[in-house]
């Protein structure tokens, strides 16, 4: 479903990501693991057609993100690490606005209402539905962040550091949501936390300084590096 082929992203002659390739199929959760500044967010934005490869290709169901970005954006839902919301809007107003951006869902008013009701229930937003976003707690802001990414029912869900800033109870809720979503989606998430990889990911790609230094299941990576744990392998691979 998602195919990244020899992806390069270069800013002012400096490579942020170099020669990165990966695959993610429906029903899979793929982790992009790396220290801060490794290039994780650069890669995720390119998968969602928020910017484009300097060299290489990103394909979603065979559609090139550089050539047909609008189609790719409609196929992806992006949960950013630090979401920027229109703070004065109510939750219901914001999500309706996001929903209407996606052209294919403008056809039927009934479908619009049904989908908004569905997302409200899925993320338990009933109690804050008519609240302004600026008044929401961190936990509810994270639910709204997930909601805006999923409201158009994308095939691919991309999560940038989904556990960032959440308390333990919110992390448990987030993991449960992601696990439920995998049934009908391809999911790619970036993290620097071993716990998230252990709890969620089928396979992982480790990035360091923009390059993939290892990939595979946790067992494949630890065996190939000769380490007892993924954490030990990670520090060994990213310490230089």
């Amino acid at each position: 479903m998602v195919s990244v082929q020899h992806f390069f992203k270069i800013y002012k002659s400096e490579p942020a990501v170099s020669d990165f390739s990966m695959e993610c199929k429906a029903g899979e959760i793929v982790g992009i693991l790396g220290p801060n500044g490794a290039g994780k967010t650069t890669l995720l934005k390119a998968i969602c057609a928020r910017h484009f490869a300097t060299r290489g290709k990103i394909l979603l169901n065979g559609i090139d993100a550089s050539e047909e970005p609008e189609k790719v954006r409609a196929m992806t839902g992006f949960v950013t690490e630090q979401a920027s919301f229109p703070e004065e809007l109510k939750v219901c107003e914001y999500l309706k606005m996001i929903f209407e951006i996606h052209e294919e869902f403008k056809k039927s008013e009934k479908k619009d209402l049904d989908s908004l009701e569905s997302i409200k229930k899925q993320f338990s937003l009933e109690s804050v539905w008519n609240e302004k976003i600026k008044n929401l707690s961190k936990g509810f802001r994270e639910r709204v962040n997930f909601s805006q990414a999923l409201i158009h029912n994308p095939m691919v869900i991309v999560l940038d550091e989904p556990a960032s800033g959440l308390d333990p109870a919110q992390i448990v809720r987030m993991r449960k949501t992601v696990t439920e979503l995998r049934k009908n989606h391809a999911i790619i998430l970036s993290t620097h936390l071993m716990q998230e990889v252990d709890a969620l990911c089928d396979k992982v790609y480790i990035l360091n300084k923009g390059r993939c230094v290892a990939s595979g299941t946790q067992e494949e990576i630890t065996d190939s590096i000769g380490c007892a744990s993924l954490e030990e392998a990670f520090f060994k691979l990213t310490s230089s």
Side-chain angles (χ1 to χ4, degrees):
M1 181 171 286
V2 180
S3 178
V4 180
Q5 302 174 2
H6 302 289
F7 172 82
F8 286 76
K9 185 65 179 179
I10 300 172
Y11 297 106
K12 297 179 180 179
S13 78
E14 291 294 323
V17 180
S18 299
D19 198 19
F20 182 87
S21 298
M22 64 161 280
E23 303 286 331
C24 183
K25 302 174 183 177
E28 273 188 333
I29 301 177
V30 171
I32 309 296
L33 181 63
N36 291 334
K40 302 187 299 296
T41 298
T42 295
L43 175 63
L44 298 190
K45 286 183 176 179
I47 290 170
C48 297
R50 303 294 179 95
H51 59 207
F52 307 107
T54 305
R55 296 204 304 272
K57 287 187 176 183
I58 293 179
L59 306 174
L60 275 73
N61 274 4
I63 298 172
D64 192 314
S66 296
E67 295 178 0
E68 300 185 83
E70 292 301 325
K71 285 186 179 180
V72 168
R73 288 173 197 145
M75 295 166 66
T76 55
F78 191 23
V79 179
T80 59
E81 180 181 3
Q82 295 182 344
S84 178
F85 298 117
E87 301 287 337
E88 292 298 325
L89 287 186
K90 295 178 180 179
V91 172
C92 58
E93 294 170 338
Y94 171 64
L95 292 178
K96 189 171 190 296
M97 178 185 73
I98 294 298
F99 189 88
E100 290 176 345
I101 289 171
H102 298 280
E103 293 292 333
E104 66 181 287
F105 292 94
K106 290 182 179 179
K107 298 174 184 177
S108 164
E109 183 179 352
K110 182 177 186 301
K111 189 173 185 180
D112 177 62
L113 292 172
D114 287 349
S115 298
L116 284 171
E117 284 298 312
S118 176
I119 209 79
K120 178 169 67 173
K121 291 176 181 177
Q122 182 178 0
F123 291 97
S124 301
L125 292 170
E126 292 91 343
S127 64
V128 297
W129 195 241
N130 291 301
E131 291 285 338
K132 288 188 175 182
I133 293 174
K134 68 178 183 180
N135 296 326
L136 299 184
S137 66
K138 172 67 178 178
F140 274 116
R141 290 174 75 91
E142 188 65 12
R143 294 189 207 183
V144 173
N145 196 11
F146 267 84
S147 298
Q148 63 79 26
L150 297 174
I151 201 163
H152 59 296
N153 193 29
M155 292 186 292
V156 178
I157 300 170
V158 178
L159 310 172
D160 192 3
E161 300 282 359
S164 177
L166 300 183
D167 65 31
Q170 291 163 352
I171 289 172
V172 169
R173 189 182 302 116
M174 178 276 294
R175 288 176 182 170
K176 182 179 179 182
T177 297
V178 173
T179 301
E180 290 172 350
L181 289 169
R182 75 179 303 162
K183 300 171 187 175
N184 302 308
H185 302 85
I187 300 177
I188 301 169
L189 69 88
S190 79
T191 185
H192 62 277
L193 301 174
M194 303 302 137
Q195 303 96 311
E196 296 314 304
V197 173
D198 187 55
L200 294 169
C201 298
D202 300 300
K203 59 183 178 182
V204 61
Y205 294 79
I206 299 179
L207 271 178
N208 187 44
K209 298 178 182 177
R211 291 188 174 275
C212 183
V213 292
S215 63
T217 64
Q218 293 188 56
E219 292 78 11
E220 288 169 345
I221 292 173
T222 53
D223 288 348
S224 67
I225 305 301
C227 295
S229 68
L230 183 65
E231 183 175 39
E232 182 183 343
F234 175 79
F235 286 119
K236 185 173 182 179
L237 289 164
T238 60
S239 59
S240 59

